[in-house]
Structures are given as structure tokens and as C-alpha cells.
Amino acid sequence: MKIKSNLVKATAAAALTVAGFATVNAVNPSSSAHVQAATTRVKINYVPGYGINVWDNYNHGHFTGNRLQHGSVQTVLDTKIDDQGRTWYMLGENQWILAQYTVSADKKVKSSKSVQAAGDASSILALAKAQLGKAYVWGGTTPSGFDCSGLVQYVFKNAAGINLGRTTYDQVKDGVSVSMNNLQPGDLLFWGSAAAPYHVGIYLGNGKYIHAATPGQGVIVQSISSYFYPSVAKRVL
């Protein structure tokens, strides 16, 4: 009887293990543990009545046969950039979608502007930090290489669906001006004149910002200092 009891326990444990594996890798995870591990949520933004393909890899993957419908909300577990400079979101094991067909889910479901901005900012900061160490390339707008405004344009477009101008002269015209004493993560910092700044970075919080600095430094994080102090801050979220 003891052997039979142990066998039943082992079988039940194995069943729970398999069930847990299936839950973790579902496209629409419902378990609280899975949601807590997620970094952000996105909404499929394609064509009403149609869906986007789910691929088994972000680099040269194959179509899994599954499609996600326009308007459905998905939980993003990881973000990757393929060798063509495109951003992909991982929804589960061997389940990837192109970020360009999504928008932040928090934009529609949150009621206040401050909460909405926080949701967008987390996605922007995550994608910006994923570019750390990338090369500085004059005129660069992809992970192959960025200049300062190219990095800002790429991150805001791919993380939040916000289309900013290509140059610092254009980007400084977007959003509203904010005090340097009232900065929030995701704000844009500019150096130079308010009308024609020569440099831009993304504020991370705690006095730090990320930017494509120089050809010798690439994309790095630095602290705001009196030696290199921003002249203008804009909030576009």
C-alpha cells in the first residue's frame, strides 16, 4: 500500500509540473505568478478583424500558425532586436511578435495622465537601456548605431508608438516644458538653446539619463552634473 501511495503522489506531482509548464508558455497567461514576472503589457494594433503572426524566434523565425487579433492585450516577458534592427516582444517560449504592431495597453485602460505616463515610461526606459553599449553613428537611427536624436526617435517610436522628429531641432518642439526640479522618467533633456539644441537624452530618474554620447562612448548612462547641465526639459508622455 505504501508503494502505491508513493506512486500516486509522484504521478500527481508530474501532472502539476506539466500543467505549470503549459501555463507559463501560454500566449494569454492568466496565472498571477506569470503576470507578476512580466515587464509590461501591450495591445495588438493592426487592422480590426485581422491578426498578426506569432513566430517561434525573433531572428529568422517560423510562423507558429497562431495569430493574435487586433485589440487583444498581451503580456511581454522580454524584448529583443533582430539583425534588421526591428524590435520583437516575447510572449512565451517560442512565441514572438513584432513590436511595431502594438501599442501600450496602459494608454487605454488607465484613467489619469500621470498613470498613463508611468506605463509608457517603463517601456521607454526598458528599450532605451537595451541599447546600452551600442555604437555612436552620425545620423544613425537603428541598433546598428545611433546619434543622440536617432536614439530618442527609435525608442519612443518602438516602445510607445510616439513619432518624434528626426533632429533635436524638431524634438524640442514636441511636448510641454517642465522644470528641471520636476523631472519624471521618460522626459527629454536638451542641451543648447531652447530653439536649436545640439544634444538630447532620456531622463531615467534619480538624476541619471541615457544618451548616445560621442563616437568614443556610444550609448551610455550618465548623471546630470553642473559641468554638463541641460538647458531644456520636455515631457511628451
Side-chain angles (χ1 to χ4, degrees), residues 71 103 106 113 151 165 174:
V103 294
D106 296 319
K113 181 175 176 58
L151 173 66
D174 292 315

Side-chain angles (χ1 to χ4, degrees), residues 136-199:
Y136 182 100
V137 175
W138 178 262
T141 60
T142 73
S144 296
F146 296 102
D147 63 14
C148 65
S149 55
L151 173 66
V152 169
Q153 184 187 52
Y154 173 84
V155 168
F156 274 74
K157 179 179 180 180
N158 288 279
I162 297 175
N163 293 311
L164 299 177
R166 171 63 190 89
T167 68
T168 54
Y169 308 135
D170 293 325
Q171 291 173 0
V172 77
K173 299 174 184 176
D174 292 315
V176 296
S177 297
V178 293
S179 167
M180 292 297 297
N181 296 320
N182 190 35
L183 294 175
Q184 293 181 3
D187 287 346
L188 297 181
L189 304 178
F190 294 90
W191 286 260
S193 73
Y198 63 85
H199 193 66

Side-chain angles (χ1 to χ4, degrees), residues 42-46 52 68-72 74 97 101-102:
V42 296
K43 181 179 291 186
I44 305 303
N45 186 39
Y46 187 48
I52 65 170
L68 304 180
Q69 293 300 307
H70 169 79
S72 63
Q74 306 296 326
I97 60 172
Y101 299 125
T102 70

